Amino acid sequence: MIPILGLAVGVVLGLLLDPSVPLWLQPYLPIAVVAALDAVFGGVRARFDRIFDAKVFVVSFVSNVVVAALIVFLGDQLGVGAQLSTAVVVVLGIRIFGNAAAIRRHLFRA
């Protein structure tokens, strides 16, 4: 119940305050969101597998976001930021869909 309440409060605050993202951070935000979603789906899957550990989830969440942002930053410095951004999204997307399939199998026993 607490996570749902926190999500609702966050959505309402986001709509009311209308936060803006600095220009220098905008290329990294979508990658960070996808990396965070990968960690969340991995955490949900671990919960269904009964192997969830909060410490592992937090470390996974933070490290996914930091590593993905560093890869994109390195790509920007090398002049291949768009290609590395695409690569990060593809890799994390594959992981997200794999976790979503495992969650679906748990939920629907299929």
Side-chain angles (χ1 to χ4, degrees):
M1 186 64 177
I2 292 174
I4 294 172
L5 182 62
L7 178 64
V9 169
V11 168
V12 168
L13 285 176
L15 292 173
L16 292 177
L17 298 177
D18 193 28
S20 62
V21 178
L23 285 175
W24 64 270
L25 194 59
Q26 287 179 359
Y28 309 106
L29 185 62
I31 302 301
V33 169
V34 172
L37 282 173
D38 174 50
V40 169
F41 275 88
V44 171
R45 178 183 184 177
R47 179 80 168 147
F48 280 120
D49 290 340
R50 295 190 172 111
I51 58 170
F52 180 79
D53 182 11
K55 289 180 186 177
V56 172
F57 173 73
V58 170
V59 169
S60 172
F61 189 91
V62 172
S63 64
N64 275 5
V65 171
V66 170
V67 169
L70 284 175
I71 289 172
V72 174
F73 175 75
L74 179 63
D76 284 344
Q77 298 304 309
L78 295 173
V80 292
Q83 291 87 347
L84 281 180
S85 293
T86 302
V88 169
V89 168
V90 167
V91 169
L92 293 174
I94 290 169
R95 289 172 43 106
I96 288 170
F97 281 109
N99 285 329
I103 292 167
R104 185 194 70 240
R105 285 190 296 272
H106 278 287
L107 289 175
F108 300 115
R109 312 272 188 252

